[in-house]
Amino acid sequence: MSHTPDTRSQRLYWPVQMQRNRGVRGLFVVVAAFLALYVYLFPGLFSIGGVSKFAQSWFPLALVSMSQAILMLTGGISLSIGATVSLGAVIAATTMTGPLGVVGGIAAVAVAGLGIGAISGAIVVRLKLPAIVVTLAASFIIGGAALLILPRPGGAIPIWFSDLLAGNTPAALILLIVTALLWKLYLATPLGLSLYASGENPVGAYRGGVPVDRSLIAAYAISGLLAAAAGLFVAAQTGSGDPVIGTAFTLNSIAAAVLGGVGFLGGRGTMRGAIAGSLLLSVMINVMFFLGFPPVAQYVAQGLIIIGAVALPEITGRRGPR
Amino acid sequence: MSATESETTRFPPRRISALLRNRAFLTFIIVALVWVVAGFAKPGFGSFGHLRYLLELAAVIGLVAIGQTFVVIAGGIDLSVGAIVTVSAVGVPLVADLGDPTGTVPVLIVLAAASGIGLLNGLGVAYLRVHPMIMTLAMATFLQGVLILVAGGSAVSAQNPLLHWFGNARPIGIPAGVYLWVVVSAITLVVLHATPFGARIFAIGANPLATALSGVNTRTTTMAVYAIGGLTAGLAGVLLLGMNGQGYVGIGDPYLLASIAAVVLGGTSILGGSGTYAGTIPGAILLVTITALITVVNASPGWRSILFGSLILALLLFSGRESRGR
């Protein structure tokens, strides 16, 4: 063993990453094809403005997909993501022009997201209730809270802040890259490391000394934070708050995560897959828009593509060992 | 198979304690308690007319929840029931009446279509091995698009004598919809607990691999389960159309979450393999009762939603807990 541990781990890093990419390689090809089609239809994408606009339409979906993927990696699922997005949006729209200011507003959204996530996580983990029903009930509570804060669409976001996030700047793209890097960083921490272990085999992980409960609750808290942050961005995009704006995000987040190869049983899948899944969904919507599909035909196509993308490995992989 | 069956159908020798641990029975007790307390606290709640109205509303949720119970016991979940309810509520007026004075033919066509949608779900789950959540979710998205394309945004009203009768008639003072629910529930309970098919559903939910290895055709059974899910959602849709008089896109949306909540409140494990429709019945009534009570409180929509969610969460602590101890 002439290698120092450092170079050896470096030599292992890329093969391991390649192996983890294996399941999502097909997805990457599909995403690339759709992106190429999109660029062909809309050459204006290759400009600061084009990239910015596209990133802004993609960013909230990418955030909620990450939010869902974290929970699916733990073996859970969240049906309250849409409600949390709405809550984040109304908190942002009611606090930012008030005495708290923009910084206070961001802090309030972050605290709300982390708190909601941590409480749901604690209920799921400590009281041993199934995640799907807890988050279903939580979606009513969170949605109700959003309605209490802002009964009808309104509130405001400072114009300079809206311009900064959703104006003619690539801020959304930069934020997305930063978020992805932070996720890498989190996976390197002890809590992040235990995430996959706790999702794949909680009992084994517990016996191996992994703080299973803590890592699960942390995952729920991060999931809540990401969903609330998506709400903040949506509020900045629209310039106001709407207590039901997030509803569609719950199902879209599940679709994106599953397209990205994240499994329902925990421990299977990668965040890059989930992000690619959300990219596929949002490029698809943009491409169909440019092809002149009526908005409703997009639903039909979306349903077909989701089933197709998920079923394709099964159809092509028939001959392989089962 | 027989072990699962006896566990859910026959009471063990110690009757009283077994009865107290029976989740279906417990949920019935909770409903009865809530009705008695609410009846004393709020005059008018306990009146026959009001309770009858509650049962009528519960019938729709209960019908949707039949299919959901089957699917959940078989280890899946059906997120397309809301869309199927809408399809059938909007579909009946769209199907030409074909010169049939009773209006039976359009209803049968729509019910067949709903079962067909369910069968497609089952096909995807059983043969393409798409996860149930994704298959039914994609189906719901697909149906939503088709519905808006076909029906547009406006409400369509039905001139269907059969549905009008089911939605409004009251033989011996009880709504026809409730009779329908009672009959279909009885069939459901028999199928689930007293037929080989029912036993296979429990077996698939408990351990699909072992079930397949012991010679059960799991694919056919899975497809049948999802077809039942489509059929009962369709039944709920036509009943809803009869009660409402008109159908519109989105009419079925509330029934998705309601059906899951009713199933879970009734003590059926969301993980599959155990449960009974006998628990889902009081679960559906309980949901409607909670909604009615919250309306009585006269709070703002936000507080109503918070109350509803908190109550469901609190009830889950009673009925949803041991589902992991399997």
Side-chain angles (χ1 to χ4, degrees):
Chain A
M1 290 293 149
S2 58
H3 300 296
T4 64
D6 195 25
T7 59
R8 213 167 63 205
S9 68
Q10 265 178 7
R11 293 185 66 182
L12 263 176
Y13 181 77
W14 290 110
V16 166
Q17 292 297 336
M18 287 308 285
Q19 201 205 347
R20 293 182 63 199
N21 276 341
R22 201 156 39 176
V24 285
R25 207 170 287 151
L27 173 69
F28 287 158
V29 172
V30 175
V31 171
F34 263 99
L35 266 180
L37 181 63
Y38 185 38
V39 171
Y40 172 73
L41 290 170
F42 179 56
L45 188 64
F46 281 124
S47 66
I48 298 284
V51 169
S52 309
K53 280 283 165 257
F54 176 71
Q56 282 157 20
S57 71
W58 173 31
F59 185 58
L61 186 59
L63 282 187
V64 294
S65 307
M66 293 181 75
S67 160
Q68 187 68 264
I70 294 176
L71 292 190
M72 284 170 65
L73 287 177
T74 69
I77 190 154
S78 175
L79 296 182
S80 61
I81 283 183
T84 313
V85 170
S86 303
L87 185 67
V90 297
I91 291 180
T94 46
T95 52
M96 283 194 174
T97 46
L100 288 174
V102 167
V103 177
I106 294 175
V109 170
V111 168
L114 280 172
I116 286 169
I119 293 171
S120 327
I123 292 174
V124 170
V125 173
R126 300 274 182 213
L127 301 181
K128 302 209 183 306
L129 286 170
I132 182 167
V133 286
V134 170
T135 53
L136 176 59
S139 73
F140 287 100
I141 301 176
I142 300 165
L147 276 174
L148 280 188
I149 294 173
L150 204 62
R152 55 193 64 79
I157 301 287
I159 291 171
W160 66 265
F161 188 64
S162 274
D163 281 343
L164 178 71
L165 276 184
N168 215 3
T169 64
L173 190 63
I174 294 167
L175 280 176
L176 183 60
I177 293 169
V178 170
T179 315
L181 288 177
L182 283 177
W183 170 249
K184 277 263 163 227
L185 213 61
Y186 178 69
L187 276 189
T189 65
L191 266 189
L193 270 175
S194 33
L195 179 78
Y196 272 88
S198 312
E200 170 104 37
N201 184 347
V203 176
Y206 178 77
R207 296 203 175 131
V210 170
V212 173
D213 283 9
R214 229 187 317 143
S215 81
L216 291 185
I217 294 176
Y220 276 89
I222 294 172
S223 167
L225 174 66
L226 285 171
L232 174 89
F233 185 81
V234 169
Q237 246 178 340
T238 56
S240 65
D242 180 340
V244 293
I245 200 163
T247 314
F249 279 113
T250 304
L251 297 187
N252 278 338
S253 68
I254 301 176
V258 171
L259 276 180
V262 183
F264 279 96
L265 300 176
R268 292 287 151 83
T270 54
M271 196 52 86
R272 77 195 71 153
I275 294 174
S278 70
L279 179 60
L280 178 61
L281 274 188
S282 79
V283 173
M284 219 164 68
I285 292 167
N286 278 312
V287 165
M288 281 190 277
F289 177 75
F290 273 101
L291 288 177
F293 278 50
V296 288
Q298 292 174 10
Y299 285 118
V300 178
Q302 201 175 322
L304 291 176
I305 291 178
I306 290 173
I307 296 178
V310 177
L312 207 60
E314 173 64 21
I315 298 168
T316 55
R318 267 281 150 79
R319 277 154 284 156
R322 173 84 46 81
Chain B
M1 271 190 272
S2 62
T4 337
E5 202 181 9
S6 67
E7 195 180 283
T8 47
T9 52
R10 230 184 298 140
F11 292 123
R14 284 170 291 124
R15 288 241 161 146
I16 302 295
S17 60
L19 207 57
L20 283 179
R21 272 188 281 114
N22 185 308
R23 301 263 266 290
F25 181 74
L26 273 181
T27 319
F28 261 117
I29 296 288
I30 293 176
V31 172
L33 278 179
V34 171
W35 277 23
V36 168
V37 171
F40 278 114
K42 172 85 188 172
F45 183 94
S47 73
F48 177 68
H50 187 253
L51 294 184
R52 180 174 65 188
Y53 174 64
L54 288 186
L55 279 183
E56 207 173 351
L57 293 180
V60 182
I61 296 181
L63 284 173
V64 183
I66 289 178
Q68 196 68 263
T69 308
F70 272 97
V71 174
V72 168
I73 288 178
I77 192 159
D78 192 342
L79 298 182
S80 67
V81 287
I84 298 179
V85 168
T86 309
V87 164
S88 50
V90 172
V92 171
L94 290 180
V95 178
D97 57 349
L98 306 168
D100 177 11
T102 60
T104 317
V105 176
V107 172
L108 289 181
I109 292 176
V110 163
L111 288 183
S115 313
I117 296 170
L119 199 66
L120 278 180
N121 278 332
L123 207 69
V125 173
Y127 283 91
L128 300 181
R129 297 195 167 222
V130 181
H131 190 280
M133 207 178 265
I134 288 310
M135 185 63 218
T136 54
L137 173 59
M139 180 61 82
T141 315
F142 177 82
L143 290 177
Q144 199 183 350
V146 171
L147 274 170
I148 301 176
L149 281 179
V150 172
S154 54
V156 281
S157 43
Q159 305 297 328
N160 191 315
L162 179 71
L163 289 187
H164 189 263
W165 184 81
F166 263 115
N168 300 290
R170 282 180 180 155
I172 337 175
I174 294 170
V178 176
Y179 283 113
L180 178 71
W181 186 29
V182 169
V183 171
V184 182
S185 299
I187 299 172
T188 302
L189 285 171
V190 169
V191 169
L192 209 50
H193 297 299
T195 64
F197 173 68
R200 274 184 228 130
I201 295 176
F202 280 97
I204 288 182
N207 190 336
L209 184 61
T211 312
L213 289 177
S214 51
V216 173
N217 189 338
T218 52
R219 285 178 163 172
T220 319
T221 313
T222 305
M223 281 168 60
V225 163
Y226 282 91
I228 292 173
L231 176 62
T232 60
L235 215 50
V238 292
L239 178 61
L240 192 61
L241 176 66
M243 283 160 56
N244 255 13
Q246 54 180 9
Y248 49 89
V249 174
I251 192 174
D253 290 352
Y255 293 98
L256 167 58
L257 297 187
S259 70
I260 298 175
V263 168
V264 176
L265 286 181
T268 298
S269 161
I270 197 86
L271 306 171
S274 78
T276 169
Y277 184 66
T280 310
I281 298 171
I285 302 175
L286 191 56
L287 271 183
V288 175
T289 310
I290 291 174
T291 317
L293 283 177
I294 290 170
T295 320
V296 166
V297 171
N298 201 10
S300 74
W303 278 117
R304 259 188 250 165
S305 184
I306 292 178
L307 265 175
F308 186 70
S310 313
L311 281 171
I312 288 185
L313 208 53
L315 288 167
L316 281 176
L317 286 176
F318 273 111
S319 62
R321 280 199 72 168
E322 1 163 4
S323 44
R324 277 200 185 174
R326 196 158 48 81

